[in-house]
Amino acid sequence: MTIQRVVETRFEAETVARLEAATLHLARGAAPALRLELHRWRVALNAVGRPPPGALLELERRLEISAVVSRAFDLERAASGIPGDPRSLVHHRLERASRAAGRAVPLERSRFGVVVMPPATADVATQLSVSSVAPPAPPETVRVPVTKLDALLDLVALGTVADVVKLDANNRRLVAQGLKRVRSGRLQPGLQALFSIAGRDPVRAAGFDFGFALGPRINAAGRLSDMTLGIECLATDDSARATELAGQLDAINRERRDVEAGMRELAERALELLMPDEATAPPAVALFDESFHEGVVGIVAGRVKDRLHRPTFVFARGTDGNLKGSGRSIPGFHLRDALDLVAKREPGLLLRFGGHAMAAGCTLDDCGDGVAVERFGDALRKVAAEWLDKATLTRTLRTDGPLAIEWFNPQTVAVLDAQVWGQGFEAPVFCDEVQVLQQRLVGEKHLKLRVRHLGQARDAIWFGHAEPVAERLRLAYRLVLDEYNGQQRLQMIVEAAH
């Protein structure tokens, strides 16, 4: 698959945003801005060889009509010796019509200074007045102080990516500008310190750094300690203080990883009791252990959901004695609505709940008999069985197809890395047949592969996967540059295989 096709598959997301922007310019009468937006739209269409849609042609037609009307007004002003203000031309026309009628009827004036004619009844002679039309007052000059916020774009980019906000056209522009500031060295002291403690280079910053290197360190403080540590780190102008806080956040994040690892091990044991294998996985999962930490239940729920492709809730004992749960869902199962139905079917079980389609939280009234989670799990599984069919419960990974050998090079990686990818605008995932030449475990939980792809030996790694794979299989992968001892080499990051 060529890079051109990768761009094509993502072009549709831009069309709606461009149409909205162009329509807004048209409504505001901003002809120059509309003309520029339509030109950009044309360029984008030409880049992927697409014909112009009907909406674009209609907007261009209306823009041309507007231009013709504007030129006609200009010619009439010039011929009549009227000032350039469009309202002066309106007054001039009303004056001529009134003189021709020989009558005078008061005119109204809107709050915008534009003449408003009374409703039509008989003829223009009964509608127009010259005597009451006063020349428009000169507009007042109001000076509004402008606050420059571009210095905060690095923080905007961090928050957008780390909070998994949908990357529509506007958000991608904000993230792109934030990354531009970071790469040029114009970043907040706190971000600089976090990049340093995470071992990442700001000059080569990408959205991945925000989502998987900086974001977890900032969030760890709120999970296990005091969230104000992260806020102060981002807000301080003192580089020394920022470095100190970044060190504290890194230590807390390491502790969070240890806690998470222990909870995941316990969760795996509970899953083994719940189901002998993944083929017998229930339509929804609810897990609880007295040793679970309240601040990490959401992360563990997300890990279990990713592994089983099932809506998952994980509960921990809160400081008030009640059970605090965090859930993660799959496409097609609105988690907050499911909680609402559970609350109606099991009165008194849920003390409170909230969230949205893909993530939610709730508190259970635990009477000390240990059955609250069981009741909740049974009710959630019943809702899931009613709402989810076999197709929805089957994990599906959309790919961009095979990557042609001529595009398998560092330049392709550079082109892709220069873009902003994330929630709602995922990075390209390619899919190819390979022959496995070697496979071994690294770090006890990652599978390192040597594969033959398009006649050449390639390196690949499957993070978080420890089971061996077949000799021949299809790999869904992302293409990256792996750096080791100053050397760069292409590597396939495996997303799935079968």
Side-chain angles (χ1 to χ4, degrees), residues 212-221 223-224 247-260 299:
F212 295 94
L214 276 62
R217 285 172 168 81
I218 298 170
N219 289 334
R223 298 183 186 278
L224 300 183
Q248 295 181 36
L249 292 172
D250 185 64
I252 296 172
N253 190 52
R254 293 178 186 275
E255 180 185 355
R256 187 270 307 168
R257 289 177 182 170
D258 293 338
V259 172
E260 179 190 343
I299 298 177

Side-chain angles (χ1 to χ4, degrees), residues 169-213:
N170 287 332
N171 285 335
R172 287 204 307 281
R173 292 187 185 102
L174 292 173
V175 173
Q177 291 301 313
L179 286 171
K180 183 177 179 181
R181 292 188 67 88
V182 170
R183 292 166 183 161
S184 64
R186 297 175 295 164
L187 67 166
Q188 309 294 328
L191 281 186
Q192 180 70 60
L194 287 168
F195 267 99
S196 178
I197 202 71
R200 311 294 295 184
D201 184 4
V203 175
R204 302 178 59 188
F208 177 89
D209 298 308
F210 290 151
F212 295 94

Side-chain angles (χ1 to χ4, degrees), residues 232-391:
E232 184 182 355
C233 181
L234 297 178
T236 184
D237 293 325
D238 186 337
S239 297
R241 178 60 175 162
T243 301
E244 177 188 351
L245 291 168
Q248 295 181 36
L249 292 172
D250 185 64
I252 296 172
N253 190 52
R254 293 178 186 275
E255 180 185 355
R256 187 270 307 168
R257 289 177 182 170
D258 293 338
V259 172
E260 179 190 343
M263 289 178 59
R264 290 180 67 181
E265 183 177 346
L266 291 172
E268 289 293 335
R269 294 177 186 173
L271 289 174
E272 290 175 1
L273 297 176
L274 184 65
M275 56 186 188
D277 54 65
E278 293 189 14
T280 59
V285 176
L287 301 175
F288 165 70
D289 190 276
E290 286 289 353
S291 64
F292 282 177
H293 194 290
E294 180 182 352
V296 190
V297 289
I299 298 177
V300 176
R303 305 291 190 198
V304 175
K305 181 267 299 181
D306 290 339
R307 184 196 148 190
L308 300 179
H309 193 66
R310 296 291 190 272
T312 301
F313 262 89
V314 177
F315 290 88
R317 181 78 61 185
T319 55
D320 59 0
N322 291 316
L323 298 178
K324 307 294 181 65
S326 184
R328 300 294 182 269
S329 193
I330 61 176
F333 190 77
H334 197 294
L335 207 54
R336 193 270 170 199
D337 289 353
L339 289 180
D340 185 51
L341 187 54
V342 169
K344 290 180 172 64
R345 291 178 174 179
E346 296 288 338
L349 177 61
L350 274 69
L351 297 178
R352 50 189 170 273
F353 64 89
H356 50 84
M358 302 303 290
C362 65
T363 300
L364 302 185
D365 183 14
D366 183 45
C367 302
D369 51 9
V371 299
V373 176
E374 292 183 14
R375 286 178 58 199
F376 175 85
D378 290 341
L380 184 66
R381 283 188 286 272
K382 185 176 180 181
V383 174
E386 296 170 0
W387 290 3
L388 299 174
D389 55 19
K390 184 177 180 180

Side-chain angles (χ1 to χ4, degrees), residues 133-149:
V133 177
E140 296 184 14
T141 301
V142 180
R143 298 189 181 277
V144 179
V146 177
T147 303
K148 296 191 67 175
L149 300 176

Side-chain angles (χ1 to χ4, degrees), residues 412-429:
T412 297
V413 177
V415 169
L416 296 177
D417 287 349
Q419 309 305 312
V420 176
W421 312 102
Q423 181 69 19
F425 200 76
E426 291 77 11
V429 175

